[in-house]
Amino acid sequence: MPDNKPDTVLLYEWRKIWKDIKQPGLKFSDRINYIFNSPGWRHDGTGKTVRQYQRDYWAKKNKKKEDIQKKSA
């Protein structure tokens, strides 16, 4: 967020959603998805949702655990 003003804190994400919805060339379904899908959802597939971040986190954590077990064996 650019600052900690109350209006910025309250409206920041809504402004970002509005900006996403106003992109030219979007299908109506994409506009609806920007409102109701997970944070990070992008119509072109470039964004990462919370579930994708969680998967990446657990995969990384499990890899570290496996590496530690291999070193101790």
Side-chain angles (χ1 to χ4, degrees):
M1 270 189 277
D3 57 54
N4 288 333
K5 294 178 188 174
D7 63 326
T8 303
V9 172
L10 289 171
L11 301 174
Y12 181 74
E13 286 301 324
W14 287 105
R15 288 178 182 143
K16 289 182 66 89
I17 291 170
W18 182 254
K19 181 182 171 189
D20 289 335
I21 290 171
K22 289 307 217 176
Q23 294 178 70
L26 288 181
K27 296 183 290 186
F28 180 75
S29 61
D30 289 337
R31 296 179 198 280
I32 297 300
N33 280 324
Y34 272 112
I35 296 170
F36 293 107
N37 258 350
S38 298
W41 181 89
R42 304 279 306 159
H43 72 281
D44 57 4
T46 59
K48 278 185 138 180
T49 63
V50 171
R51 283 198 175 111
Q52 290 167 320
Y53 279 112
Q54 288 172 338
R55 259 187 247 122
D56 292 349
Y57 170 80
W58 288 112
K60 187 176 179 182
K61 189 167 181 150
N62 288 335
K63 186 179 181 321
K64 282 184 181 180
K65 187 176 180 181
E66 290 171 4
D67 290 345
I68 291 171
Q69 289 175 348
K70 286 180 184 178
K71 286 180 183 178
S72 66

